[in-house]
Amino acid sequence: MKAAGVVLVGVAIVAAVIGGISALSGGDGGNEAGPSGTSTQPGTSGGPSSPPATSSTATPPSTSTPASPTSPPPPTSPPPGQPTSPGPGQPGGDQQASNKWVTVRVYNNSLIEHLAARAADDFRHAGWNVTEVKGYPYGTIPATTAYYRPGTDEEAAAKALAQQFGFKAEPRFDGIKDASAGVIVIVTKDYGTNSPKGS
């Protein structure tokens, strides 16, 4: 029993010594782990000073991000300008091309068979919108003419067509004044004689 008591007392003493050593070494080790190469002095508060430095460095990235939203507005301005000019592509034929959507009806006022059909083919090959081809037996027209209703899109279209194919353009006369909308071209035997594109 005495031997057991001595052993227990010895173990308690050893445990107390080890506890004291670990407490002392733990305090020194905590100081050494804190600086970790920053400084050799254990009492300095180098650890707390480093976090503020990291927070200050984090602020510059946030200031750089607001600059990016300001750049997108400039590129949005060009698109609105483009849709305004979707029509013709070539500057020289802009006006003429913009008139070609107007319907054109071709009437034959000559004794030449299929003259209106031939003229209609010429007009179509040039991009004009020919919708009707037939004869015109109501009187004699002196020369091939494109007729239009003044003040409408027909006027510009008739003048452009007449200029392209070498004949004249005039307002509608009484006999065709009430006809359907569109340019009316009445061809006579002179069709194609003054036009480089007519045959």
Side-chain angles (χ1 to χ4, degrees):
M1 295 294 291
K2 290 181 179 181
V6 172
V7 171
L8 290 176
V9 172
V11 171
I13 292 172
V14 171
V17 171
I18 292 174
I21 293 172
S22 64
L24 293 176
S25 65
D28 294 340
N31 291 338
E32 291 173 0
S36 67
T38 55
S39 64
T40 56
Q41 299 176 354
T44 57
S45 58
S49 62
S50 57
T54 55
S55 62
S56 62
T57 55
T59 52
S62 63
T63 56
S64 62
T65 52
S68 57
T70 57
S71 55
T76 57
S77 54
Q82 295 175 351
T84 56
S85 59
Q90 299 178 353
D94 284 358
Q95 185 63 33
Q96 181 175 323
S98 65
N99 296 321
K100 290 186 177 181
W101 65 270
V102 177
T103 57
V104 177
R105 296 197 301 284
V106 186
Y107 299 159
N108 188 357
N109 188 238
S110 75
L111 298 176
I112 303 171
E113 292 185 5
H114 310 297
L115 181 61
R118 190 181 77 185
D121 287 342
D122 292 342
F123 300 160
R124 287 188 183 110
H125 286 136
W128 293 91
N129 181 23
V130 179
T131 58
E132 184 180 18
V133 178
K134 66 179 185 179
Y136 183 79
Y138 311 106
T140 301
I141 305 299
T144 300
T145 308
Y147 295 98
Y148 59 86
R149 293 177 299 166
T152 66
D153 293 332
E154 296 172 12
E155 183 171 357
K159 290 178 179 178
L161 178 62
Q163 182 179 11
Q164 183 177 7
F165 286 91
F167 47 82
K168 59 184 180 177
E170 294 180 356
R172 289 187 182 186
F173 54 88
D174 290 339
I176 59 172
K177 190 170 288 186
D178 296 329
S180 301
V183 174
I184 297 175
V185 179
I186 301 180
V187 294
T188 65
K189 62 182 180 180
D190 69 338
Y191 173 75
T193 59
N194 299 324
S195 171
K197 295 189 179 180
S199 57

